[in-house]
Amino acid sequence: MDTTNISSSPIHTASYSDAVVDSGVSPVDAGPKRRRTDFHLDGAPPPPPPPPRLLDYEPIIGQAVLDELRYLAEALQGKSVKMVNSTAMGGGVAEMLNSLVPLIVELGVVTHWDVITGDNDFFEITKAFHNALHGGEYHLTRKTQEIFLQTNEQNRKRMQFDEDVIVIHDPQPAAMIDGRDARDSKWVWRCHIDLSNPNPEVWSFLKPMVERFDAAIFSSQSFAQRLSVPQYLFYPCIDALSEKNKEIDESYIQQICDDYGIDRSRPVVTQISRFDRLKDPLGVVKAYQMAKKYVDLQLVLAGGSASDDPEGAQVLAEVEDAAANDPDIFILNLPPWSGLQINALQRASTIIVQKSLREGFGLTVTEALWKSKPTVASAVGGIPNQVIHKLTGVLVHSVEGCAYQIRYLLTHPDHARQLGKNGHEHVKENFLMTTNVKRWLLLLRFLLKAKGK
Amino acid sequence: MNESANLDQREAKKPFYFNTSASLLRIGQEKATTLSELLHALHTCSSDSIFQHTFRTLQEHHFIREGFSNDFAHWAFSACNEPGLAERLASLDVREYTDVGDIRQKIEEIVAGYIEANPASGERRSREPFYFCASETVVLPTPFVAHSMQQFVEDLSRVSLHSIHHHFIEARLRLKLNSNDFSQWLQEEDLPEAAAKLNRIDIYTATLEDVRRQIILVVKRALV
């Protein structure tokens, strides 16, 4: 096979078998002239699109599954829920609630969403708590405890808790449990963070509050703690109709690739992640370089802006150094509202990599699987829940393993295709927003002992 | 022409009501980091937990044709690197059991036997712990009610895979018979051969969507 012909052909989708480098022809020499530098999308964030309605999901999950949600909700008509978290915009929790709340409301459950307020001191403390609960060092002083409890108390006085179920998201508003009174309402703590190795001081402070709830929810079995209350497993999920995950026109995918100079006639391996050491972008570059000795490929590293993160900027600079002058490496530093571009880059990819050293759940993996992409990912955090080795993707433990799996998948297209197909079905069954709605309805039914007709 | 137009048009003696089920995962207190710990937890965990890791996991992974039969087998293979044990656990067919207690006993026997034969394996730490979870399940109605064979076949193609799992796989725990709701109904509708054939469909080498297709095919063939 002549790679010169491939690179000049008008084919837009890279063929797996095209990945094998023909002897004597350098893919770098043979390919078209491509830009390789940082790309920035400028401008202000666009207004968010209106949230989807239940019926919009029917083509994705089918009418029968949608009917199941309606039957589940029948027993909950007129019941009410309050969600409380610490931010209305930005961050995964707010993003999830923005999709979840309208769907639960549409199903007949009256749902209110309140956001706590606090000053800089409070949010500095809760940020430190967040890091400490991930295992970081932290010394909890009496002063920090007072600020935390006082701010929770102020918010508690500001809010009414008349609903049947109160859901408190994450540690920031955890002390709102003090608002629990003699009424028969049920209180749930939804923990979105990795609690597998919490700082003992901070966890000892929070644990008595958590044990006053009726139930706790975690994102992975490994995040759960020994608690006296029932613990439930709610996997994080993606919204199949969001900008980042919805079906998009092939022409748009091509346009994005053209804008960045990505050649779709050759394989594209992509990691979508912010430039953070824990995402190991340098390891990805090394794996790409090792694989490139055997197969022709391009590497796309696309991630969030590093402007507010000094270490992120340093990591980005190191990645650029490691990429050197390789015209087949594309480092894309994108703003947070680039969901549609990320979607296009994922769909343009032949393989998606997530070579994290540590990970929460790893929703970028969920996104890749949803797009039926063969996925090579580290066996860390919640990733093994999603990538079942050799069934829905491949798990790796090293740079060398990552390089080998990239080579293997690029040269075994049928196997890669089957992994992608299984991965898509896995997400459809377990990690979509509609599955999350089902989990919430089930939990509400169990808590309220609501029976169907 | 619609294929089902050739089907038996007669009314069913008794309508078939399609139901479905939905489950919530509760995280248990038990976890295992060695095979010996697994064996101990297998003995003490709830029946709901055994049900989750054998019956329910099949539904959660219904799209996989090979290499996935129950969570214990998967863990033995992927986290303990014990393929011999994994193969033995994977050979367990939940459809041979009408009681969760019997499945628990069989799994305990397999694990205990393996540790006895391979003492060093018992205390070797796994790469990842096994976390015991349990299902809290509710049964739900669906709008699908078959009053004839033709309608039964049409509804089979329209109900969710959760409903297929509920009637075809989970049913035996309810019926306490080595059968399923579809076969029971076909038997009552004087189609004993079709009823028996359904019980021979291999759920471990097919996706649940494949199983649905095979059920439809068996019923159609019985009627033409």
Side-chain angles (χ1 to χ4, degrees), chain B residues 180-205:
Chain B
N180 63 83
D181 291 335
F182 300 144
S183 292
Q184 287 293 105
W185 187 71
L186 290 171
Q187 187 84 37
E188 288 168 18
E189 295 297 319
D190 303 324
L191 291 168
E193 279 185 29
K197 275 184 184 169
L198 292 195
N199 275 322
R200 288 200 291 275
I201 292 174
D202 187 349
I203 59 170
Y204 289 103
T205 57

PDB file of all heavy atoms in Angstrom, chain B residues 180-205:
ATOM      1  N   ASN B 180     -39.323 -20.564  32.184  1.00  0.00           N
ATOM      2  CA  ASN B 180     -39.442 -19.110  32.115  1.00  0.00           C
ATOM      3  C   ASN B 180     -40.890 -18.773  31.795  1.00  0.00           C
ATOM      4  O   ASN B 180     -41.669 -19.652  31.408  1.00  0.00           O
ATOM      5  CB  ASN B 180     -38.501 -18.556  31.053  1.00  0.00           C
ATOM      6  CG  ASN B 180     -38.854 -19.057  29.674  1.00  0.00           C
ATOM      7  OD1 ASN B 180     -39.731 -18.516  29.019  1.00  0.00           O
ATOM      8  ND2 ASN B 180     -38.211 -20.150  29.228  1.00  0.00           N
ATOM      9  N   ASP B 181     -41.239 -17.496  31.938  1.00  0.00           N
ATOM     10  CA  ASP B 181     -42.644 -17.099  31.756  1.00  0.00           C
ATOM     11  C   ASP B 181     -43.142 -17.399  30.340  1.00  0.00           C
ATOM     12  O   ASP B 181     -44.291 -17.796  30.151  1.00  0.00           O
ATOM     13  CB  ASP B 181     -42.793 -15.597  32.032  1.00  0.00           C
ATOM     14  CG  ASP B 181     -42.603 -15.264  33.497  1.00  0.00           C
ATOM     15  OD1 ASP B 181     -42.820 -16.151  34.340  1.00  0.00           O
ATOM     16  OD2 ASP B 181     -42.217 -14.118  33.799  1.00  0.00           O
ATOM     17  N   PHE B 182     -42.284 -17.198  29.342  1.00  0.00           N
ATOM     18  CA  PHE B 182     -42.717 -17.410  27.955  1.00  0.00           C
ATOM     19  C   PHE B 182     -43.025 -18.894  27.730  1.00  0.00           C
ATOM     20  O   PHE B 182     -44.051 -19.246  27.146  1.00  0.00           O
ATOM     21  CB  PHE B 182     -41.636 -16.954  26.961  1.00  0.00           C
ATOM     22  CG  PHE B 182     -41.277 -15.491  27.061  1.00  0.00           C
ATOM     23  CD1 PHE B 182     -39.966 -15.058  26.854  1.00  0.00           C
ATOM     24  CD2 PHE B 182     -42.238 -14.531  27.360  1.00  0.00           C
ATOM     25  CE1 PHE B 182     -39.629 -13.720  26.940  1.00  0.00           C
ATOM     26  CE2 PHE B 182     -41.911 -13.185  27.450  1.00  0.00           C
ATOM     27  CZ  PHE B 182     -40.601 -12.781  27.246  1.00  0.00           C
ATOM     28  N   SER B 183     -42.119 -19.757  28.186  1.00  0.00           N
ATOM     29  CA  SER B 183     -42.322 -21.198  28.003  1.00  0.00           C
ATOM     30  C   SER B 183     -43.566 -21.671  28.754  1.00  0.00           C
ATOM     31  O   SER B 183     -44.336 -22.490  28.247  1.00  0.00           O
ATOM     32  CB  SER B 183     -41.102 -21.981  28.493  1.00  0.00           C
ATOM     33  OG  SER B 183     -40.010 -21.738  27.652  1.00  0.00           O
ATOM     34  N   GLN B 184     -43.748 -21.141  29.961  1.00  0.00           N
ATOM     35  CA  GLN B 184     -44.924 -21.524  30.742  1.00  0.00           C
ATOM     36  C   GLN B 184     -46.204 -21.186  29.983  1.00  0.00           C
ATOM     37  O   GLN B 184     -47.140 -21.966  29.924  1.00  0.00           O
ATOM     38  CB  GLN B 184     -44.926 -20.771  32.089  1.00  0.00           C
ATOM     39  CG  GLN B 184     -43.916 -21.263  33.078  1.00  0.00           C
ATOM     40  CD  GLN B 184     -44.217 -22.672  33.565  1.00  0.00           C
ATOM     41  OE1 GLN B 184     -43.559 -23.620  33.151  1.00  0.00           O
ATOM     42  NE2 GLN B 184     -45.219 -22.817  34.405  1.00  0.00           N
ATOM     43  N   TRP B 185     -46.205 -20.005  29.412  1.00  0.00           N
ATOM     44  CA  TRP B 185     -47.401 -19.546  28.687  1.00  0.00           C
ATOM     45  C   TRP B 185     -47.606 -20.375  27.411  1.00  0.00           C
ATOM     46  O   TRP B 185     -48.726 -20.801  27.115  1.00  0.00           O
ATOM     47  CB  TRP B 185     -47.249 -18.056  28.358  1.00  0.00           C
ATOM     48  CG  TRP B 185     -48.479 -17.440  27.762  1.00  0.00           C
ATOM     49  CD1 TRP B 185     -49.655 -17.170  28.408  1.00  0.00           C
ATOM     50  CD2 TRP B 185     -48.648 -17.014  26.406  1.00  0.00           C
ATOM     51  NE1 TRP B 185     -50.549 -16.583  27.533  1.00  0.00           N
ATOM     52  CE2 TRP B 185     -49.960 -16.473  26.304  1.00  0.00           C
ATOM     53  CE3 TRP B 185     -47.831 -17.016  25.287  1.00  0.00           C
ATOM     54  CZ2 TRP B 185     -50.460 -15.949  25.106  1.00  0.00           C
ATOM     55  CZ3 TRP B 185     -48.321 -16.493  24.094  1.00  0.00           C
ATOM     56  CH2 TRP B 185     -49.624 -15.972  24.008  1.00  0.00           C
ATOM     57  N   LEU B 186     -46.513 -20.616  26.682  1.00  0.00           N
ATOM     58  CA  LEU B 186     -46.623 -21.412  25.447  1.00  0.00           C
ATOM     59  C   LEU B 186     -47.117 -22.824  25.758  1.00  0.00           C
ATOM     60  O   LEU B 186     -47.895 -23.405  24.995  1.00  0.00           O
ATOM     61  CB  LEU B 186     -45.275 -21.460  24.729  1.00  0.00           C
ATOM     62  CG  LEU B 186     -44.813 -20.140  24.091  1.00  0.00           C
ATOM     63  CD1 LEU B 186     -43.371 -20.252  23.608  1.00  0.00           C
ATOM     64  CD2 LEU B 186     -45.724 -19.735  22.932  1.00  0.00           C
ATOM     65  N   GLN B 187     -46.648 -23.353  26.859  1.00  0.00           N
ATOM     66  CA  GLN B 187     -47.096 -24.678  27.295  1.00  0.00           C
ATOM     67  C   GLN B 187     -48.614 -24.671  27.488  1.00  0.00           C
ATOM     68  O   GLN B 187     -49.320 -25.564  27.001  1.00  0.00           O
ATOM     69  CB  GLN B 187     -46.397 -25.009  28.625  1.00  0.00           C
ATOM     70  CG  GLN B 187     -46.607 -26.403  29.151  1.00  0.00           C
ATOM     71  CD  GLN B 187     -45.639 -27.400  28.520  1.00  0.00           C
ATOM     72  OE1 GLN B 187     -44.492 -27.067  28.270  1.00  0.00           O
ATOM     73  NE2 GLN B 187     -46.135 -28.593  28.241  1.00  0.00           N
ATOM     74  N   GLU B 188     -49.101 -23.641  28.152  1.00  0.00           N
ATOM     75  CA  GLU B 188     -50.546 -23.543  28.403  1.00  0.00           C
ATOM     76  C   GLU B 188     -51.326 -23.289  27.123  1.00  0.00           C
ATOM     77  O   GLU B 188     -52.522 -23.559  27.041  1.00  0.00           O
ATOM     78  CB  GLU B 188     -50.822 -22.425  29.416  1.00  0.00           C
ATOM     79  CG  GLU B 188     -50.378 -22.790  30.823  1.00  0.00           C
ATOM     80  CD  GLU B 188     -50.372 -21.597  31.765  1.00  0.00           C
ATOM     81  OE1 GLU B 188     -51.014 -20.575  31.450  1.00  0.00           O
ATOM     82  OE2 GLU B 188     -49.705 -21.680  32.814  1.00  0.00           O
ATOM     83  N   GLU B 189     -50.607 -22.740  26.127  1.00  0.00           N
ATOM     84  CA  GLU B 189     -51.264 -22.487  24.835  1.00  0.00           C
ATOM     85  C   GLU B 189     -51.069 -23.664  23.881  1.00  0.00           C
ATOM     86  O   GLU B 189     -51.179 -23.520  22.664  1.00  0.00           O
ATOM     87  CB  GLU B 189     -50.686 -21.208  24.210  1.00  0.00           C
ATOM     88  CG  GLU B 189     -50.982 -19.936  24.992  1.00  0.00           C
ATOM     89  CD  GLU B 189     -52.476 -19.620  25.076  1.00  0.00           C
ATOM     90  OE1 GLU B 189     -53.173 -19.794  24.065  1.00  0.00           O
ATOM     91  OE2 GLU B 189     -52.942 -19.233  26.173  1.00  0.00           O
ATOM     92  N   ASP B 190     -50.748 -24.821  24.405  1.00  0.00           N
ATOM     93  CA  ASP B 190     -50.595 -26.065  23.640  1.00  0.00           C
ATOM     94  C   ASP B 190     -49.451 -26.003  22.622  1.00  0.00           C
ATOM     95  O   ASP B 190     -49.566 -26.514  21.503  1.00  0.00           O
ATOM     96  CB  ASP B 190     -51.912 -26.439  22.925  1.00  0.00           C
ATOM     97  CG  ASP B 190     -53.051 -26.572  23.912  1.00  0.00           C
ATOM     98  OD1 ASP B 190     -52.783 -27.060  25.036  1.00  0.00           O
ATOM     99  OD2 ASP B 190     -54.175 -26.158  23.593  1.00  0.00           O
ATOM    100  N   LEU B 191     -48.381 -25.353  23.003  1.00  0.00           N
ATOM    101  CA  LEU B 191     -47.185 -25.335  22.150  1.00  0.00           C
ATOM    102  C   LEU B 191     -45.986 -25.849  22.972  1.00  0.00           C
ATOM    103  O   LEU B 191     -45.018 -25.110  23.213  1.00  0.00           O
ATOM    104  CB  LEU B 191     -46.915 -23.915  21.635  1.00  0.00           C
ATOM    105  CG  LEU B 191     -47.929 -23.378  20.618  1.00  0.00           C
ATOM    106  CD1 LEU B 191     -47.751 -21.888  20.409  1.00  0.00           C
ATOM    107  CD2 LEU B 191     -47.792 -24.110  19.278  1.00  0.00           C
ATOM    108  N   PRO B 192     -46.040 -27.116  23.386  1.00  0.00           N
ATOM    109  CA  PRO B 192     -45.004 -27.630  24.295  1.00  0.00           C
ATOM    110  C   PRO B 192     -43.619 -27.695  23.663  1.00  0.00           C
ATOM    111  O   PRO B 192     -42.619 -27.494  24.354  1.00  0.00           O
ATOM    112  CB  PRO B 192     -45.514 -29.031  24.660  1.00  0.00           C
ATOM    113  CG  PRO B 192     -46.472 -29.398  23.579  1.00  0.00           C
ATOM    114  CD  PRO B 192     -47.079 -28.131  23.088  1.00  0.00           C
ATOM    115  N   GLU B 193     -43.562 -27.966  22.351  1.00  0.00           N
ATOM    116  CA  GLU B 193     -42.236 -28.060  21.710  1.00  0.00           C
ATOM    117  C   GLU B 193     -41.553 -26.696  21.704  1.00  0.00           C
ATOM    118  O   GLU B 193     -40.362 -26.583  21.985  1.00  0.00           O
ATOM    119  CB  GLU B 193     -42.379 -28.588  20.287  1.00  0.00           C
ATOM    120  CG  GLU B 193     -42.514 -30.102  20.239  1.00  0.00           C
ATOM    121  CD  GLU B 193     -42.534 -30.616  18.820  1.00  0.00           C
ATOM    122  OE1 GLU B 193     -41.929 -29.978  17.940  1.00  0.00           O
ATOM    123  OE2 GLU B 193     -43.176 -31.657  18.606  1.00  0.00           O
ATOM    124  N   ALA B 194     -42.316 -25.671  21.353  1.00  0.00           N
ATOM    125  CA  ALA B 194     -41.747 -24.311  21.358  1.00  0.00           C
ATOM    126  C   ALA B 194     -41.314 -23.942  22.773  1.00  0.00           C
ATOM    127  O   ALA B 194     -40.242 -23.354  22.976  1.00  0.00           O
ATOM    128  CB  ALA B 194     -42.770 -23.315  20.829  1.00  0.00           C
ATOM    129  N   ALA B 195     -42.146 -24.328  23.738  1.00  0.00           N
ATOM    130  CA  ALA B 195     -41.819 -24.024  25.137  1.00  0.00           C
ATOM    131  C   ALA B 195     -40.486 -24.667  25.516  1.00  0.00           C
ATOM    132  O   ALA B 195     -39.629 -24.028  26.142  1.00  0.00           O
ATOM    133  CB  ALA B 195     -42.932 -24.532  26.050  1.00  0.00           C
ATOM    134  N   ALA B 196     -40.294 -25.897  25.091  1.00  0.00           N
ATOM    135  CA  ALA B 196     -39.048 -26.602  25.427  1.00  0.00           C
ATOM    136  C   ALA B 196     -37.861 -25.989  24.685  1.00  0.00           C
ATOM    137  O   ALA B 196     -36.763 -25.867  25.244  1.00  0.00           O
ATOM    138  CB  ALA B 196     -39.200 -28.077  25.072  1.00  0.00           C
ATOM    139  N   LYS B 197     -38.103 -25.605  23.425  1.00  0.00           N
ATOM    140  CA  LYS B 197     -36.997 -25.031  22.636  1.00  0.00           C
ATOM    141  C   LYS B 197     -36.487 -23.726  23.254  1.00  0.00           C
ATOM    142  O   LYS B 197     -35.294 -23.437  23.217  1.00  0.00           O
ATOM    143  CB  LYS B 197     -37.463 -24.763  21.197  1.00  0.00           C
ATOM    144  CG  LYS B 197     -37.363 -25.991  20.302  1.00  0.00           C
ATOM    145  CD  LYS B 197     -37.741 -25.645  18.885  1.00  0.00           C
ATOM    146  CE  LYS B 197     -37.727 -26.912  18.037  1.00  0.00           C
ATOM    147  NZ  LYS B 197     -38.331 -26.706  16.725  1.00  0.00           N
ATOM    148  N   LEU B 198     -37.388 -22.944  23.781  1.00  0.00           N
ATOM    149  CA  LEU B 198     -36.948 -21.673  24.388  1.00  0.00           C
ATOM    150  C   LEU B 198     -35.959 -21.927  25.517  1.00  0.00           C
ATOM    151  O   LEU B 198     -35.008 -21.166  25.705  1.00  0.00           O
ATOM    152  CB  LEU B 198     -38.140 -20.881  24.936  1.00  0.00           C
ATOM    153  CG  LEU B 198     -39.140 -20.297  23.941  1.00  0.00           C
ATOM    154  CD1 LEU B 198     -40.021 -19.258  24.647  1.00  0.00           C
ATOM    155  CD2 LEU B 198     -38.450 -19.630  22.768  1.00  0.00           C
ATOM    156  N   ASN B 199     -36.183 -22.999  26.237  1.00  0.00           N
ATOM    157  CA  ASN B 199     -35.294 -23.283  27.366  1.00  0.00           C
ATOM    158  C   ASN B 199     -33.909 -23.746  26.923  1.00  0.00           C
ATOM    159  O   ASN B 199     -33.005 -23.866  27.748  1.00  0.00           O
ATOM    160  CB  ASN B 199     -35.937 -24.316  28.290  1.00  0.00           C
ATOM    161  CG  ASN B 199     -36.867 -23.640  29.288  1.00  0.00           C
ATOM    162  OD1 ASN B 199     -36.563 -22.554  29.770  1.00  0.00           O
ATOM    163  ND2 ASN B 199     -38.001 -24.260  29.562  1.00  0.00           N
ATOM    164  N   ARG B 200     -33.762 -24.040  25.628  1.00  0.00           N
ATOM    165  CA  ARG B 200     -32.438 -24.457  25.147  1.00  0.00           C
ATOM    166  C   ARG B 200     -31.649 -23.295  24.532  1.00  0.00           C
ATOM    167  O   ARG B 200     -30.536 -23.490  24.069  1.00  0.00           O
ATOM    168  CB  ARG B 200     -32.593 -25.604  24.142  1.00  0.00           C
ATOM    169  CG  ARG B 200     -33.011 -26.919  24.817  1.00  0.00           C
ATOM    170  CD  ARG B 200     -32.703 -28.126  23.953  1.00  0.00           C
ATOM    171  NE  ARG B 200     -33.552 -28.164  22.766  1.00  0.00           N
ATOM    172  CZ  ARG B 200     -34.797 -28.693  22.756  1.00  0.00           C
ATOM    173  NH1 ARG B 200     -35.300 -29.208  23.857  1.00  0.00           N
ATOM    174  NH2 ARG B 200     -35.506 -28.686  21.653  1.00  0.00           N
ATOM    175  N   ILE B 201     -32.226 -22.109  24.509  1.00  0.00           N
ATOM    176  CA  ILE B 201     -31.486 -20.949  23.964  1.00  0.00           C
ATOM    177  C   ILE B 201     -30.332 -20.629  24.915  1.00  0.00           C
ATOM    178  O   ILE B 201     -30.519 -20.517  26.127  1.00  0.00           O
ATOM    179  CB  ILE B 201     -32.424 -19.727  23.817  1.00  0.00           C
ATOM    180  CG1 ILE B 201     -33.461 -19.998  22.719  1.00  0.00           C
ATOM    181  CG2 ILE B 201     -31.627 -18.468  23.487  1.00  0.00           C
ATOM    182  CD1 ILE B 201     -34.525 -18.915  22.593  1.00  0.00           C
ATOM    183  N   ASP B 202     -29.151 -20.501  24.338  1.00  0.00           N
ATOM    184  CA  ASP B 202     -27.952 -20.261  25.148  1.00  0.00           C
ATOM    185  C   ASP B 202     -27.794 -18.758  25.411  1.00  0.00           C
ATOM    186  O   ASP B 202     -27.431 -17.997  24.517  1.00  0.00           O
ATOM    187  CB  ASP B 202     -26.717 -20.810  24.415  1.00  0.00           C
ATOM    188  CG  ASP B 202     -25.474 -20.738  25.286  1.00  0.00           C
ATOM    189  OD1 ASP B 202     -25.513 -20.086  26.353  1.00  0.00           O
ATOM    190  OD2 ASP B 202     -24.455 -21.335  24.890  1.00  0.00           O
ATOM    191  N   ILE B 203     -28.056 -18.366  26.635  1.00  0.00           N
ATOM    192  CA  ILE B 203     -27.997 -16.929  26.944  1.00  0.00           C
ATOM    193  C   ILE B 203     -26.567 -16.438  27.140  1.00  0.00           C
ATOM    194  O   ILE B 203     -26.330 -15.237  27.196  1.00  0.00           O
ATOM    195  CB  ILE B 203     -28.838 -16.581  28.197  1.00  0.00           C
ATOM    196  CG1 ILE B 203     -28.341 -17.371  29.417  1.00  0.00           C
ATOM    197  CG2 ILE B 203     -30.306 -16.805  27.950  1.00  0.00           C
ATOM    198  CD1 ILE B 203     -28.946 -16.921  30.733  1.00  0.00           C
ATOM    199  N   TYR B 204     -25.622 -17.359  27.259  1.00  0.00           N
ATOM    200  CA  TYR B 204     -24.238 -16.941  27.537  1.00  0.00           C
ATOM    201  C   TYR B 204     -23.394 -16.753  26.287  1.00  0.00           C
ATOM    202  O   TYR B 204     -22.278 -16.248  26.359  1.00  0.00           O
ATOM    203  CB  TYR B 204     -23.564 -17.956  28.470  1.00  0.00           C
ATOM    204  CG  TYR B 204     -24.119 -17.873  29.869  1.00  0.00           C
ATOM    205  CD1 TYR B 204     -25.020 -18.819  30.334  1.00  0.00           C
ATOM    206  CD2 TYR B 204     -23.780 -16.825  30.707  1.00  0.00           C
ATOM    207  CE1 TYR B 204     -25.549 -18.738  31.613  1.00  0.00           C
ATOM    208  CE2 TYR B 204     -24.302 -16.729  31.980  1.00  0.00           C
ATOM    209  CZ  TYR B 204     -25.185 -17.682  32.433  1.00  0.00           C
ATOM    210  OH  TYR B 204     -25.706 -17.582  33.699  1.00  0.00           O
ATOM    211  N   THR B 205     -23.889 -17.196  25.141  1.00  0.00           N
ATOM    212  CA  THR B 205     -23.118 -16.986  23.911  1.00  0.00           C
ATOM    213  C   THR B 205     -23.882 -16.058  22.968  1.00  0.00           C
ATOM    214  O   THR B 205     -23.563 -15.959  21.792  1.00  0.00           O
ATOM    215  CB  THR B 205     -22.853 -18.326  23.199  1.00  0.00           C
ATOM    216  OG1 THR B 205     -24.116 -18.953  22.935  1.00  0.00           O
ATOM    217  CG2 THR B 205     -21.990 -19.243  24.042  1.00  0.00           C
TER     218      THR B 205
END
